[in-house]
Amino acid sequence: MTEDEIIRAVRERYPAGERPPTAPPEAVAELEAVVGYPMPPLLKRIHLEVADGGFGRRGEALSLTETEFRYSDGERLVEEYLGRRGAPGHPPSVVPLLTWGCAIWSLVDFSTPEGRMWGWDPNARCPVHGEALFPEDLTLAERLQGWLDGTAAFPKAPAGPYCTER
């Protein structure tokens, strides 16, 4: 799917009135300044043209502005990011997008224009030593397509021991 097709499909999946309003450009600028990288273009378009959060798996993508946890059980995206920044093994360009439940997250790498996806699963890998965060072989567009067509799978941690620091 092209970016325009994904934007159209997200709008159709979450019709006006059933999705949050769009984010103001200032909210995007705030997040980009905190992260130090530009938001991947597709994610920026969704936030500015379609909805400020409330899309993706079960409509749980984090909002840039919402503080009432209406669209997810997480905080505003910038607060979720700041809570993870500096954690062992966590690159500063990797930003949370949404939770899958059971402490599993999908994250987006802002240092890549295509928005390379990362997973976080402290149930499968050790969060204390930075092993719970792992790159996925997906882009944001591919992850969104999976959510839209119902084929998306949980982020799958690489095989190996729970903790290599034991």
Side-chain angles (χ1 to χ4, degrees), residues 88-90 119-122 124-134 157-158 160-166:
H90 196 109
W120 166 266
D121 186 352
R125 300 298 297 271
C126 178
V128 174
H129 298 107
E131 298 169 1
L133 183 68
F134 49 90
Y162 178 77
C163 184
T164 58
E165 299 287 326
R166 291 184 180 183

Side-chain angles (χ1 to χ4, degrees), residues 46-128:
I46 292 172
H47 277 280
L48 294 174
E49 298 174 25
V50 182
D52 179 19
F55 57 88
R57 182 181 177 269
R58 296 189 331 215
E60 292 183 355
L62 295 174
S63 172
L64 302 178
T65 61
E66 178 62 50
T67 59
E68 297 297 318
F69 313 133
R70 208 165 97 202
Y71 312 117
S72 175
D73 62 357
E75 299 181 52
R76 238 175 28 115
L77 202 152
V78 71
E79 279 88 12
E80 283 289 341
Y81 170 77
L82 289 170
R84 295 166 187 272
R85 187 167 66 178
H90 196 109
S93 61
V94 175
V95 178
L97 179 62
L98 63 76
T99 179
W100 291 75
C102 299
I104 300 168
W105 283 79
S106 280
L107 302 94
V108 180
D109 190 341
F110 277 32
S111 73
T112 62
E114 71 278 9
R116 298 304 308 174
M117 297 301 297
W118 288 65
W120 166 266
D121 186 352
N123 306 296
R125 300 298 297 271
C126 178
V128 174

